[in-house]
Amino acid sequence: MNSRRPFLVAFLLTAAVWAGVAVPWALTDRGPAPAATPGPGALAGPNIAAEGRSRAAGRQALGMAWSSTWSATVPEGSAVPDAALGAGRCAELFTWATERSAVPRGTATAAFTLTAPENRGLVVRSLRVVKGRKLPPPKGTDVECLGAVDRGVPQSMESWGRLSLDRPRDLKVSRAVGPGATVGGLIETRTTDCSCQWWIEVEVWEGAKKRTIRIDDAGSPFTLAPPVAGIGAPAQGGALKYGTPDVALAREDSPGDAPSEPSVSASRLLAGNGQEMWMVADREVPEVGRLTANLDVPGAVCQRVERRLVADGALPAGRAAYAVSIADPSAREDLERVVDVSLKVKKTVREGPPPQGYGCYPAQWGLQTNDKQTEASVRLSRDTPHLPVLTGEPVQLFRETEDEPATGTVFVTVEAWDPDDAEYRFTLDVTVEDASGKRTHHTVDDAGRPFVLASRPDGMAPRHEKYAYYENGHKVG
Protein backbone atom coordinates (compact mmCIF):
# COMPACT_ATOMS: atom_id res chain seq x y z
CA MET A 1 0.00 0.00 0.00
CA ASN A 2 2.83 2.42 0.86
CA SER A 3 4.19 2.20 -2.66
CA ARG A 4 0.84 3.36 -4.04
CA ARG A 5 0.56 6.53 -1.97
CA PRO A 6 2.80 8.78 -4.12
CA PHE A 7 0.87 7.70 -7.21
CA LEU A 8 -2.52 8.37 -5.56
CA VAL A 9 -1.43 11.78 -4.31
CA ALA A 10 -0.17 12.78 -7.78
CA PHE A 11 -3.35 11.47 -9.40
CA LEU A 12 -5.64 13.38 -7.03
CA LEU A 13 -3.69 16.64 -7.44
CA THR A 14 -3.79 16.34 -11.24
CA ALA A 15 -7.53 15.60 -11.19
CA ALA A 16 -8.18 18.61 -8.99
CA VAL A 17 -6.35 20.98 -11.35
CA TRP A 18 -8.15 19.69 -14.45
CA ALA A 19 -11.52 19.78 -12.69
CA GLY A 20 -11.18 23.54 -12.33
CA VAL A 21 -11.15 23.80 -8.58
CA ALA A 22 -11.62 27.22 -6.98
CA VAL A 23 -8.44 29.25 -6.79
CA PRO A 24 -8.39 31.09 -3.47
CA TRP A 25 -5.65 33.59 -2.78
CA ALA A 26 -3.85 34.03 0.52
CA LEU A 27 -4.66 37.37 2.14
CA THR A 28 -2.94 39.66 4.55
CA ASP A 29 -4.11 42.73 6.41
CA ARG A 30 -1.80 44.85 4.23
CA GLY A 31 -3.10 43.58 0.89
CA PRO A 32 -2.82 40.65 -1.51
CA ALA A 33 0.06 38.25 -1.38
CA PRO A 34 2.57 38.74 -4.19
CA ALA A 35 1.82 36.57 -7.19
CA ALA A 36 4.11 35.14 -9.81
CA THR A 37 3.69 36.39 -13.36
CA PRO A 38 4.21 33.38 -15.63
CA GLY A 39 4.18 33.69 -19.40
CA PRO A 40 0.91 33.84 -21.33
CA GLY A 41 0.85 30.10 -21.92
CA ALA A 42 1.91 29.03 -18.44
CA LEU A 43 -0.36 27.05 -16.16
CA ALA A 44 -0.02 27.96 -12.50
CA GLY A 45 -1.22 25.79 -9.64
CA PRO A 46 -3.80 26.92 -7.06
CA ASN A 47 -2.98 29.18 -4.13
CA ILE A 48 -4.60 27.88 -0.95
CA ALA A 49 -6.23 30.55 1.21
CA ALA A 50 -5.43 30.84 4.86
CA GLU A 51 -8.00 29.17 7.09
CA GLY A 52 -10.86 31.49 8.01
CA ARG A 53 -10.22 33.94 5.17
CA SER A 54 -12.29 34.84 2.13
CA ARG A 55 -11.43 33.09 -1.10
CA ALA A 56 -12.00 33.85 -4.78
CA ALA A 57 -11.89 32.15 -8.17
CA GLY A 58 -12.03 33.47 -11.73
CA ARG A 59 -11.94 32.41 -15.35
CA GLN A 60 -12.36 33.87 -18.82
CA ALA A 61 -15.94 34.13 -20.07
CA LEU A 62 -17.26 34.33 -23.60
CA GLY A 63 -19.66 37.27 -23.31
CA MET A 64 -22.53 38.86 -21.44
CA ALA A 65 -25.34 39.50 -23.95
CA TRP A 66 -26.75 38.38 -27.31
CA SER A 67 -25.25 41.53 -28.84
CA SER A 68 -21.73 40.81 -27.51
CA THR A 69 -18.79 40.22 -29.83
CA TRP A 70 -15.79 38.24 -28.59
CA SER A 71 -12.57 38.21 -30.58
CA ALA A 72 -9.12 36.81 -29.91
CA THR A 73 -5.86 35.89 -31.61
CA VAL A 74 -4.76 32.25 -31.48
CA PRO A 75 -0.96 31.78 -31.57
CA GLU A 76 0.60 30.90 -34.92
CA GLY A 77 0.58 27.25 -35.91
CA SER A 78 -2.98 26.47 -34.80
CA ALA A 79 -5.48 25.93 -37.62
CA VAL A 80 -9.09 26.37 -36.52
CA PRO A 81 -11.02 23.10 -37.06
CA ASP A 82 -14.14 23.31 -39.22
CA ALA A 83 -16.19 21.82 -36.38
CA ALA A 84 -15.57 24.99 -34.36
CA LEU A 85 -16.90 27.38 -37.03
CA GLY A 86 -20.39 28.29 -38.17
CA ALA A 87 -23.78 28.95 -36.63
CA GLY A 88 -24.21 27.95 -33.00
CA ARG A 89 -20.50 27.09 -32.55
CA CYS A 90 -19.24 29.94 -30.39
CA ALA A 91 -18.85 27.74 -27.30
CA GLU A 92 -16.70 25.26 -29.25
CA LEU A 93 -14.56 28.02 -30.76
CA PHE A 94 -14.10 29.72 -27.37
CA THR A 95 -13.06 26.45 -25.71
CA TRP A 96 -10.67 25.55 -28.54
CA ALA A 97 -9.09 29.02 -28.58
CA THR A 98 -8.67 29.46 -24.82
CA GLU A 99 -7.08 26.00 -24.53
CA ARG A 100 -4.41 27.31 -26.92
CA SER A 101 -3.74 30.50 -24.92
CA ALA A 102 -5.60 32.79 -27.30
CA VAL A 103 -5.30 36.47 -26.35
CA PRO A 104 -8.63 38.39 -26.30
CA ARG A 105 -8.70 41.53 -28.46
CA GLY A 106 -10.20 44.82 -27.35
CA THR A 107 -12.61 43.42 -24.77
CA ALA A 108 -12.36 40.57 -22.27
CA THR A 109 -14.95 39.26 -19.82
CA ALA A 110 -14.07 37.57 -16.53
CA ALA A 111 -16.47 35.46 -14.47
CA PHE A 112 -15.62 35.26 -10.77
CA THR A 113 -16.90 34.11 -7.39
CA LEU A 114 -16.21 35.38 -3.87
CA THR A 115 -16.81 33.10 -0.88
CA ALA A 116 -17.00 34.42 2.68
CA PRO A 117 -15.36 32.62 5.62
CA GLU A 118 -17.49 30.02 7.37
CA ASN A 119 -17.52 31.95 10.66
CA ARG A 120 -18.31 35.46 9.41
CA GLY A 121 -19.63 37.32 6.39
CA LEU A 122 -18.01 39.93 4.21
CA VAL A 123 -18.99 43.15 2.46
CA VAL A 124 -17.60 43.99 -0.99
CA ARG A 125 -16.88 47.72 -1.28
CA SER A 126 -14.97 48.21 -4.55
CA LEU A 127 -13.03 46.51 -7.28
CA ARG A 128 -10.58 47.55 -9.97
CA VAL A 129 -8.57 46.06 -12.80
CA VAL A 130 -4.80 46.11 -12.42
CA LYS A 131 -2.43 46.33 -15.38
CA GLY A 132 0.42 43.80 -15.27
CA ARG A 133 3.53 43.46 -17.40
CA LYS A 134 3.46 44.31 -21.09
CA LEU A 135 3.25 41.55 -23.71
CA PRO A 136 4.29 41.57 -27.37
CA PRO A 137 1.32 42.03 -29.74
CA PRO A 138 -0.11 38.58 -30.48
CA LYS A 139 0.34 37.05 -33.94
CA GLY A 140 -1.63 34.22 -35.43
CA THR A 141 -5.22 33.47 -36.44
CA ASP A 142 -7.94 35.93 -35.51
CA VAL A 143 -11.20 34.36 -34.36
CA GLU A 144 -14.53 35.99 -33.58
CA CYS A 145 -17.93 35.13 -32.11
CA LEU A 146 -20.99 37.23 -32.94
CA GLY A 147 -23.72 36.96 -30.32
CA ALA A 148 -21.20 35.71 -27.78
CA VAL A 149 -23.10 34.64 -24.67
CA ASP A 150 -21.34 32.29 -22.23
CA ARG A 151 -24.06 29.77 -21.46
CA GLY A 152 -21.78 28.08 -18.94
CA VAL A 153 -22.19 31.10 -16.66
CA PRO A 154 -25.33 30.91 -14.46
CA GLN A 155 -27.91 33.59 -15.20
CA SER A 156 -27.77 34.56 -11.52
CA MET A 157 -24.25 35.93 -12.06
CA GLU A 158 -24.97 39.55 -12.88
CA SER A 159 -22.70 42.04 -14.55
CA TRP A 160 -20.84 44.15 -12.00
CA GLY A 161 -19.72 46.70 -14.57
CA ARG A 162 -17.24 47.67 -17.26
CA LEU A 163 -13.70 48.87 -16.61
CA SER A 164 -10.81 50.05 -18.78
CA LEU A 165 -7.09 49.31 -18.64
CA ASP A 166 -6.49 52.64 -20.40
CA ARG A 167 -8.24 54.68 -17.70
CA PRO A 168 -8.07 52.70 -14.42
CA ARG A 169 -10.59 53.56 -11.73
CA ASP A 170 -12.22 52.01 -8.70
CA LEU A 171 -15.70 50.64 -9.25
CA LYS A 172 -17.70 51.30 -6.10
CA VAL A 173 -20.12 48.53 -5.15
CA SER A 174 -21.94 47.31 -2.08
CA ARG A 175 -22.49 43.56 -1.82
CA ALA A 176 -23.05 41.77 1.49
CA VAL A 177 -22.25 38.04 1.65
CA GLY A 178 -23.32 35.88 4.59
CA PRO A 179 -20.97 33.47 6.44
CA GLY A 180 -19.86 30.70 4.10
CA ALA A 181 -21.97 32.09 1.24
CA THR A 182 -20.78 32.78 -2.30
CA VAL A 183 -21.53 35.65 -4.66
CA GLY A 184 -20.64 35.67 -8.34
CA GLY A 185 -20.38 38.23 -11.08
CA LEU A 186 -19.00 39.29 -14.44
CA ILE A 187 -16.57 42.11 -15.19
CA GLU A 188 -15.90 43.40 -18.70
CA THR A 189 -12.47 44.95 -19.31
CA ARG A 190 -11.56 47.03 -22.36
CA THR A 191 -8.44 48.49 -23.94
CA THR A 192 -7.52 50.36 -27.10
CA ASP A 193 -3.72 50.25 -26.90
CA CYS A 194 -2.55 47.91 -24.11
CA SER A 195 -1.09 44.48 -24.89
CA CYS A 196 -0.58 43.28 -21.36
CA GLN A 197 -1.50 41.05 -18.45
CA TRP A 198 -4.20 42.10 -15.99
CA TRP A 199 -6.18 40.92 -13.00
CA ILE A 200 -8.91 42.14 -10.65
CA GLU A 201 -8.43 43.38 -7.10
CA VAL A 202 -11.47 43.45 -4.81
CA GLU A 203 -11.65 45.43 -1.57
CA VAL A 204 -13.73 43.66 1.10
CA TRP A 205 -14.45 44.06 4.80
CA GLU A 206 -14.42 40.94 6.94
CA GLY A 207 -15.92 42.23 10.12
CA ALA A 208 -13.66 45.13 11.13
CA LYS A 209 -10.77 44.13 8.85
CA LYS A 210 -10.27 45.47 5.37
CA ARG A 211 -8.68 43.06 2.90
CA THR A 212 -7.72 42.94 -0.76
CA ILE A 213 -8.54 39.84 -2.78
CA ARG A 214 -6.97 39.13 -6.15
CA ILE A 215 -9.00 37.44 -8.90
CA ASP A 216 -7.25 36.05 -11.94
CA ASP A 217 -7.46 33.18 -14.42
CA ALA A 218 -6.99 30.10 -12.23
CA GLY A 219 -3.66 31.33 -10.88
CA SER A 220 -2.36 33.15 -13.98
CA PRO A 221 -3.04 36.75 -15.01
CA PHE A 222 -5.66 37.43 -17.65
CA THR A 223 -4.37 38.80 -20.97
CA LEU A 224 -5.71 41.43 -23.36
CA ALA A 225 -4.49 43.13 -26.54
CA PRO A 226 -5.80 46.02 -28.69
CA PRO A 227 -8.82 45.33 -30.90
CA VAL A 228 -8.55 44.10 -34.48
CA ALA A 229 -10.83 44.70 -37.45
CA GLY A 230 -14.02 42.68 -37.25
CA ILE A 231 -14.17 39.43 -39.19
CA GLY A 232 -17.91 39.28 -39.77
CA ALA A 233 -19.58 41.49 -42.36
CA PRO A 234 -21.84 44.19 -40.92
CA ALA A 235 -24.92 42.25 -42.02
CA GLN A 236 -23.94 39.16 -40.02
CA GLY A 237 -24.83 40.77 -36.72
CA GLY A 238 -28.11 42.20 -37.98
CA ALA A 239 -30.19 39.05 -37.51
CA LEU A 240 -29.12 38.28 -33.92
CA LYS A 241 -31.97 40.38 -32.53
CA TYR A 242 -34.51 38.15 -34.30
CA GLY A 243 -33.49 34.90 -32.61
CA THR A 244 -30.67 33.55 -34.77
CA PRO A 245 -27.87 31.52 -33.16
CA ASP A 246 -24.40 32.89 -32.54
CA VAL A 247 -21.83 32.69 -35.35
CA ALA A 248 -18.20 31.58 -34.97
CA LEU A 249 -15.71 32.94 -37.53
CA ALA A 250 -11.97 32.86 -38.24
CA ARG A 251 -9.51 34.85 -40.37
CA GLU A 252 -5.94 33.83 -41.13
CA ASP A 253 -4.99 36.66 -43.52
CA SER A 254 -4.65 40.35 -42.76
CA PRO A 255 -7.88 42.36 -42.79
CA GLY A 256 -8.53 44.78 -45.63
CA ASP A 257 -10.25 48.12 -45.58
CA ALA A 258 -13.75 48.36 -44.15
CA PRO A 259 -16.30 47.50 -46.88
CA SER A 260 -18.22 50.37 -48.47
CA GLU A 261 -20.53 48.14 -50.54
CA PRO A 262 -23.66 46.49 -49.11
CA SER A 263 -23.13 43.22 -47.26
CA VAL A 264 -25.69 40.43 -46.99
CA SER A 265 -25.97 37.49 -44.58
CA ALA A 266 -28.51 34.79 -43.84
CA SER A 267 -29.10 32.97 -40.56
CA ARG A 268 -31.59 30.34 -39.49
CA LEU A 269 -34.01 31.51 -36.81
CA LEU A 270 -34.26 29.39 -33.69
CA ALA A 271 -37.68 28.36 -32.45
CA GLY A 272 -39.33 30.93 -30.20
CA ASN A 273 -41.79 30.63 -27.36
CA GLY A 274 -44.74 28.44 -28.34
CA GLN A 275 -43.08 27.04 -31.48
CA GLU A 276 -42.42 23.36 -31.96
CA MET A 277 -38.93 22.24 -32.93
CA TRP A 278 -37.89 19.39 -35.25
CA MET A 279 -34.29 18.26 -35.68
CA VAL A 280 -32.31 15.15 -36.61
CA ALA A 281 -28.92 14.06 -35.29
CA ASP A 282 -26.42 11.40 -36.33
CA ARG A 283 -26.29 10.12 -32.77
CA GLU A 284 -28.20 10.27 -29.53
CA VAL A 285 -27.42 13.48 -27.62
CA PRO A 286 -27.51 12.56 -23.90
CA GLU A 287 -27.43 16.21 -22.77
CA VAL A 288 -30.95 16.66 -24.14
CA GLY A 289 -32.32 14.21 -21.59
CA ARG A 290 -30.89 16.28 -18.76
CA LEU A 291 -32.35 19.49 -20.17
CA THR A 292 -35.80 17.94 -20.35
CA ALA A 293 -35.74 16.50 -16.83
CA ASN A 294 -38.17 19.24 -15.75
CA LEU A 295 -40.61 20.16 -18.50
CA ASP A 296 -42.72 22.49 -16.35
CA VAL A 297 -40.78 25.54 -17.54
CA PRO A 298 -42.88 26.98 -20.37
CA GLY A 299 -41.07 28.68 -23.20
CA ALA A 300 -37.62 27.59 -22.02
CA VAL A 301 -37.14 23.85 -22.48
CA CYS A 302 -37.59 23.66 -26.25
CA GLN A 303 -35.30 26.62 -26.86
CA ARG A 304 -32.57 25.13 -24.66
CA VAL A 305 -32.93 21.74 -26.36
CA GLU A 306 -32.61 23.31 -29.80
CA ARG A 307 -29.48 25.25 -28.85
CA ARG A 308 -27.90 22.08 -27.46
CA LEU A 309 -28.70 20.16 -30.65
CA VAL A 310 -27.40 22.97 -32.88
CA ALA A 311 -24.12 23.04 -30.94
CA ASP A 312 -23.87 19.25 -31.40
CA GLY A 313 -24.23 19.52 -35.18
CA ALA A 314 -27.86 18.37 -35.47
CA LEU A 315 -29.85 19.54 -38.52
CA PRO A 316 -33.23 21.26 -38.71
CA ALA A 317 -35.86 19.02 -40.28
CA GLY A 318 -38.95 19.65 -42.36
CA ARG A 319 -39.16 23.42 -42.02
CA ALA A 320 -36.85 26.29 -41.11
CA ALA A 321 -37.12 30.07 -41.23
CA TYR A 322 -34.19 32.28 -42.23
CA ALA A 323 -33.45 35.96 -41.70
CA VAL A 324 -31.74 37.57 -44.72
CA SER A 325 -30.06 40.76 -43.50
CA ILE A 326 -28.75 43.64 -45.63
CA ALA A 327 -26.33 46.27 -44.31
CA ASP A 328 -25.28 49.26 -46.40
CA PRO A 329 -22.65 51.64 -44.92
CA SER A 330 -23.08 54.05 -47.85
CA ALA A 331 -26.83 54.57 -47.33
CA ARG A 332 -27.56 58.05 -46.00
CA GLU A 333 -30.73 59.60 -47.35
CA ASP A 334 -31.87 56.88 -49.75
CA LEU A 335 -32.87 54.00 -47.46
CA GLU A 336 -35.12 52.00 -49.80
CA ARG A 337 -33.83 48.86 -51.48
CA VAL A 338 -35.28 46.20 -53.78
CA VAL A 339 -34.18 42.63 -53.09
CA ASP A 340 -34.26 39.40 -55.13
CA VAL A 341 -33.56 36.09 -53.38
CA SER A 342 -33.14 32.67 -54.97
CA LEU A 343 -31.69 29.34 -53.84
CA LYS A 344 -29.10 27.03 -55.38
CA VAL A 345 -30.07 23.57 -54.12
CA LYS A 346 -28.24 20.23 -54.06
CA LYS A 347 -30.20 17.15 -52.94
CA THR A 348 -28.44 14.17 -51.35
CA VAL A 349 -29.73 10.97 -49.75
CA ARG A 350 -28.39 10.22 -46.29
CA GLU A 351 -26.27 7.09 -46.04
CA GLY A 352 -26.00 4.76 -43.07
CA PRO A 353 -28.54 4.15 -40.31
CA PRO A 354 -31.56 6.44 -39.89
CA PRO A 355 -30.88 9.57 -37.85
CA GLN A 356 -32.17 10.22 -34.36
CA GLY A 357 -35.32 12.34 -34.62
CA TYR A 358 -35.98 15.01 -31.97
CA GLY A 359 -39.17 16.96 -31.45
CA CYS A 360 -40.06 19.43 -28.72
CA TYR A 361 -43.60 20.74 -28.36
CA PRO A 362 -45.13 23.39 -26.11
CA ALA A 363 -48.42 22.67 -24.35
CA GLN A 364 -51.37 22.74 -26.78
CA TRP A 365 -48.88 22.94 -29.61
CA GLY A 366 -49.90 23.69 -33.16
CA LEU A 367 -48.04 24.38 -36.38
CA GLN A 368 -46.51 27.62 -35.15
CA THR A 369 -43.22 28.74 -36.62
CA ASN A 370 -41.57 32.00 -37.56
CA ASP A 371 -43.87 32.12 -40.61
CA LYS A 372 -45.80 35.09 -39.21
CA GLN A 373 -42.94 37.41 -40.23
CA THR A 374 -42.06 35.58 -43.46
CA GLU A 375 -42.23 37.35 -46.81
CA ALA A 376 -42.03 34.11 -48.82
CA SER A 377 -41.92 30.33 -48.53
CA VAL A 378 -40.36 27.75 -50.83
CA ARG A 379 -40.47 23.94 -50.89
CA LEU A 380 -37.44 21.81 -51.77
CA SER A 381 -37.83 18.61 -53.78
CA ARG A 382 -34.83 18.14 -56.08
CA ASP A 383 -31.57 19.65 -57.35
CA THR A 384 -32.43 23.18 -58.40
CA PRO A 385 -29.75 25.51 -59.79
CA HIS A 386 -32.06 28.52 -59.50
CA LEU A 387 -35.16 28.44 -57.28
CA PRO A 388 -36.73 31.91 -56.93
CA VAL A 389 -37.97 32.86 -53.46
CA LEU A 390 -38.39 36.67 -53.56
CA THR A 391 -38.54 38.88 -56.63
CA GLY A 392 -38.63 42.66 -56.40
CA GLU A 393 -39.18 42.66 -52.63
CA PRO A 394 -39.08 46.22 -51.19
CA VAL A 395 -36.89 46.61 -48.10
CA GLN A 396 -36.63 49.67 -45.88
CA LEU A 397 -33.23 50.14 -44.20
CA PHE A 398 -32.94 51.61 -40.71
CA ARG A 399 -29.98 53.23 -39.00
CA GLU A 400 -29.91 52.71 -35.22
CA THR A 401 -26.79 54.83 -34.59
CA GLU A 402 -24.93 57.30 -36.77
CA ASP A 403 -21.69 55.30 -36.83
CA GLU A 404 -23.33 52.00 -37.88
CA PRO A 405 -24.48 50.99 -41.38
CA ALA A 406 -28.18 51.08 -42.20
CA THR A 407 -29.69 47.60 -42.03
CA GLY A 408 -32.85 45.79 -43.08
CA THR A 409 -34.06 42.19 -42.89
CA VAL A 410 -36.43 39.96 -44.84
CA PHE A 411 -37.57 36.52 -43.74
CA VAL A 412 -38.06 33.36 -45.80
CA THR A 413 -39.21 29.86 -44.91
CA VAL A 414 -37.73 26.76 -46.55
CA GLU A 415 -39.53 23.40 -46.37
CA ALA A 416 -38.39 19.85 -47.12
CA TRP A 417 -41.06 17.11 -46.97
CA ASP A 418 -39.93 13.84 -48.52
CA PRO A 419 -40.66 10.15 -48.01
CA ASP A 420 -36.95 9.29 -48.01
CA ASP A 421 -33.89 10.30 -45.98
CA ALA A 422 -33.09 13.32 -48.12
CA GLU A 423 -30.93 16.26 -47.11
CA TYR A 424 -30.85 19.54 -49.00
CA ARG A 425 -27.77 21.73 -49.12
CA PHE A 426 -28.31 25.21 -50.46
CA THR A 427 -26.85 28.68 -50.77
CA LEU A 428 -28.68 31.93 -51.40
CA ASP A 429 -28.20 34.27 -54.34
CA VAL A 430 -29.21 37.78 -53.26
CA THR A 431 -29.39 40.88 -55.45
CA VAL A 432 -29.75 44.32 -53.85
CA GLU A 433 -30.79 47.34 -55.96
CA ASP A 434 -30.83 50.95 -54.76
CA ALA A 435 -32.95 53.85 -56.06
CA SER A 436 -30.35 54.79 -58.66
CA GLY A 437 -30.56 51.32 -60.23
CA LYS A 438 -27.18 50.17 -58.96
CA ARG A 439 -27.27 46.42 -58.29
CA THR A 440 -24.93 44.29 -56.17
CA HIS A 441 -24.92 40.48 -56.20
CA HIS A 442 -24.14 38.31 -53.16
CA THR A 443 -23.73 34.57 -52.60
CA VAL A 444 -24.71 33.80 -49.01
CA ASP A 445 -23.90 30.64 -47.04
CA ASP A 446 -23.58 29.46 -43.42
CA ALA A 447 -20.15 30.83 -42.39
CA GLY A 448 -18.38 29.15 -45.32
CA ARG A 449 -20.62 26.09 -45.64
CA PRO A 450 -24.00 25.57 -47.34
CA PHE A 451 -27.15 25.58 -45.25
CA VAL A 452 -28.55 22.09 -44.66
CA LEU A 453 -32.19 21.11 -44.16
CA ALA A 454 -33.18 17.48 -43.55
CA SER A 455 -36.40 16.10 -44.97
CA ARG A 456 -39.33 15.13 -42.81
CA PRO A 457 -41.96 12.72 -44.20
CA ASP A 458 -45.40 14.20 -44.82
CA GLY A 459 -47.86 13.57 -42.03
CA MET A 460 -45.27 12.80 -39.37
CA ALA A 461 -46.74 13.39 -35.93
CA PRO A 462 -44.98 13.81 -32.56
CA ARG A 463 -45.47 10.14 -31.72
CA HIS A 464 -43.17 9.25 -34.63
CA GLU A 465 -40.25 11.13 -33.14
CA LYS A 466 -37.71 8.88 -31.48
CA TYR A 467 -37.35 11.53 -28.79
CA ALA A 468 -40.41 13.73 -28.31
CA TYR A 469 -40.70 16.17 -25.42
CA TYR A 470 -43.68 18.22 -24.30
CA GLU A 471 -43.66 21.38 -22.24
CA ASN A 472 -46.38 21.63 -19.62
CA GLY A 473 -48.11 24.37 -17.70
CA HIS A 474 -48.36 26.87 -20.53
CA LYS A 475 -51.22 27.45 -22.97
CA VAL A 476 -50.61 28.92 -26.38
CA GLY A 477 -53.44 30.37 -28.44
Side-chain angles (χ1 to χ4, degrees):
M1 289 297 290
N2 290 340
S3 63
R4 296 182 180 179
R5 287 179 182 173
F7 170 78
L8 290 174
V9 171
F11 174 81
L12 291 173
L13 287 175
T14 303
V17 171
W18 283 105
V21 296
V23 188
W25 283 85
L27 307 174
T28 69
D29 292 336
R30 296 185 301 274
T37 54
L43 178 63
N47 254 336
I48 306 302
E51 184 177 357
R53 301 284 179 85
S54 305
R55 60 186 187 273
R59 71 165 178 86
Q60 295 186 60
L62 179 55
M64 301 196 302
W66 65 266
S67 57
S68 297
T69 297
W70 172 84
S71 62
T73 299
V74 185
E76 294 174 318
S78 299
V80 184
D82 289 342
L85 298 174
R89 313 300 294 183
C90 272
E92 284 74 17
L93 180 61
F94 177 73
T95 299
W96 178 86
T98 52
E99 286 177 348
R100 285 156 182 79
S101 302
V103 178
R105 305 304 298 257
T107 301
T109 301
F112 65 91
T113 57
L114 294 167
T115 303
E118 292 293 336
N119 58 346
R120 61 187 182 278
L122 63 83
V123 177
V124 185
R125 288 303 188 192
S126 69
L127 54 81
R128 58 183 172 270
V129 293
V130 180
K131 187 185 301 186
R133 69 181 179 90
K134 291 185 178 180
L135 300 173
K139 297 181 179 180
T141 301
D142 294 332
V143 295
E144 181 177 87
C145 284
L146 302 176
V149 178
D150 197 323
R151 304 192 182 280
V153 174
Q155 293 183 351
S156 59
M157 293 182 68
E158 63 176 319
S159 169
W160 284 32
R162 292 176 168 86
L163 293 170
S164 172
L165 286 174
D166 306 329
R167 294 176 298 278
R169 66 181 179 89
D170 282 5
L171 179 64
K172 302 298 183 182
V173 296
S174 181
R175 300 285 199 290
V177 186
T182 297
V183 64
L186 296 164
I187 284 291
E188 186 177 272
T189 302
R190 298 174 178 267
T191 188
T192 58
D193 56 12
C194 180
S195 183
C196 52
Q197 297 177 338
W198 63 278
W199 57 88
I200 301 169
E201 288 185 352
V202 184
E203 298 290 345
V204 303
W205 285 89
E206 295 176 3
K209 291 186 177 182
K210 180 181 178 181
R211 301 190 187 281
T212 301
I213 304 176
R214 170 172 161 154
I215 299 172
D216 54 24
D217 191 7
S220 299
F222 296 106
T223 58
L224 188 59
V228 292
I231 300 173
Q236 284 186 294
L240 293 171
K241 66 185 74 174
Y242 300 108
T244 62
D246 53 42
V247 181
L249 305 166
R251 174 183 58 212
E252 296 186 6
D253 54 349
S254 300
D257 295 332
S260 59
E261 295 289 331
S263 62
V264 178
S265 73
S267 303
R268 183 174 74 87
L269 299 179
L270 298 181
N273 186 20
Q275 300 170 3
E276 71 270 21
M277 178 276 300
W278 301 328
M279 298 194 78
V280 295
D282 290 334
R283 65 176 185 88
E284 182 180 350
V285 184
E287 296 86 349
V288 170
R290 291 192 286 271
L291 291 174
T292 56
N294 180 3
L295 289 169
D296 291 322
V297 185
V301 174
C302 288
Q303 296 179 54
R304 294 178 65 192
V305 167
E306 185 177 27
R307 287 187 180 277
R308 177 63 262 173
L309 289 168
V310 168
D312 204 69
L315 303 177
R319 174 191 298 257
Y322 298 84
V324 182
S325 296
I326 302 101
D328 192 343
S330 65
R332 292 298 172 184
E333 302 297 332
D334 172 27
L335 295 176
E336 292 186 358
R337 297 292 182 270
V338 177
V339 176
D340 297 339
V341 179
S342 63
L343 303 185
K344 287 185 176 179
V345 183
K346 179 66 176 178
K347 179 181 178 180
T348 61
V349 177
R350 188 184 304 109
E351 298 180 354
Q356 309 284 344
Y358 285 89
C360 196
Y361 305 86
Q364 296 190 355
W365 66 275
L367 188 59
Q368 298 187 38
T369 67
N370 292 289
D371 291 355
K372 61 184 178 181
Q373 59 189 6
T374 297
E375 279 83 4
S377 180
V378 65
R379 185 165 179 169
L380 307 181
S381 60
R382 60 186 184 276
D383 289 351
T384 311
H386 182 81
L387 180 61
V389 182
L390 289 172
T391 302
E393 181 70 21
V395 177
Q396 184 72 32
L397 304 184
F398 297 94
R399 186 183 303 278
E400 295 186 4
T401 62
E402 186 61 30
D403 58 345
E404 293 182 354
T407 61
T409 303
V410 295
F411 303 91
V412 299
T413 295
V414 182
E415 300 179 347
W417 308 90
D418 272 305
D420 53 17
D421 291 334
E423 291 180 355
Y424 294 91
R425 287 166 168 76
F426 59 92
T427 58
L428 286 75
D429 280 348
V430 182
T431 300
V432 181
E433 181 179 345
D434 63 19
S436 69
K438 180 182 178 181
R439 296 162 65 91
T440 58
H441 301 272
H442 310 264
T443 298
V444 183
D445 56 22
D446 182 16
R449 292 184 288 258
F451 294 98
V452 184
L453 181 64
S455 65
R456 180 182 171 91
D458 285 312
M460 179 173 282
R463 64 179 179 273
H464 296 133
E465 302 284 355
K466 184 174 181 62
Y467 299 98
Y469 304 96
Y470 299 83
E471 292 181 342
N472 298 317
H474 184 56
K475 294 183 178 180
V476 177

